[in-house]
Amino acid sequence: MSQQEQPRRPQEPVKYGDVFEVSGELADKTVAPEDANMMQAAETRVFGHTQKGGTAAVMQSAATANKRGGFVQQGDATDVAAEHGVTVAQTDVPGARVTTEFVGGQVVGQFVEPMPVGTTAATDAETLGLNLQSAITIGEALEAAVQTAGNKPVDQSDAAAIQAAEVRASGTSVIAPGGIAASAQSAANHNATVDRDEEKIKLVDVLAGATGKLQADKAVTRQDAEGVVSAELRNNPNLTTHPGGVAASVTAAARLNEKADI
């Protein structure tokens, strides 16, 4: 093999910010072998195996590249992962199970697994404090989003989804001054000027007690969910909805109402 055909060593280490949507100190950290091992162990505890093409696999690939480049050695761990941990958590919502993976307290992976409503409705309702004897309302669905994505900083896609939900709950296109839609928009505007996530306004700050903040409320329908999903998609640069976020919670509530025929 000629010199030109020799594999080239990476010139720069693979950092967390290169492979995940993270910010702050973690984004600048080199992905280390022990970090990947901790995520593999966490996934195995939750799923019984590591996820094919999942977060642990991505971290292992990045760590291997970094070892090959001489940027890290076997057994190395980043201080962020070592101090704040690597974890995998699951939360059940109506009709789905949300799995979230963290490194140093920041989300590096999240996905939603649909679950049959007939076998999970009672557990889901108990988890979210919902009453299966009556239809789940838009306000209740927004409050449920706090449990799955409460620590997410509010952005324009969240504000648009919340506005769509409030409009459908009230039956009018008028945005109530001081309501949750107005608060969400204010939060999104504020967050756009702030760099540090810990200083940003989170969904929990806007959606906690959402039912009591709405001027009117109604049972969630499929049409309501489609409107909220569309609003969140249109205002996301990647044209995606946030797993476990506002649109996902409203969609899950609509699905449960439809399946339960209430």
Side-chain angles (χ1 to χ4, degrees), residues 79-100:
D79 52 354
V80 174
E83 293 173 10
H84 301 287
V86 173
T87 57
V88 178
Q90 290 186 319
T91 303
D92 289 341
V93 299
R97 172 167 292 163
V98 181
T99 301
T100 309

Side-chain angles (χ1 to χ4, degrees), residues 223-245:
Q223 290 72 29
D224 296 328
E226 290 173 350
V228 173
V229 169
S230 177
E232 189 168 318
L233 284 172
R234 288 196 311 270
N235 289 272
N236 187 303
N238 298 319
L239 296 179
T240 60
T241 59
H242 183 76

Side-chain angles (χ1 to χ4, degrees), residues 29 60 99 150 186 240 261:
K29 295 293 183 181
Q60 187 61 60
T99 301
S186 177
T240 60
D261 193 26

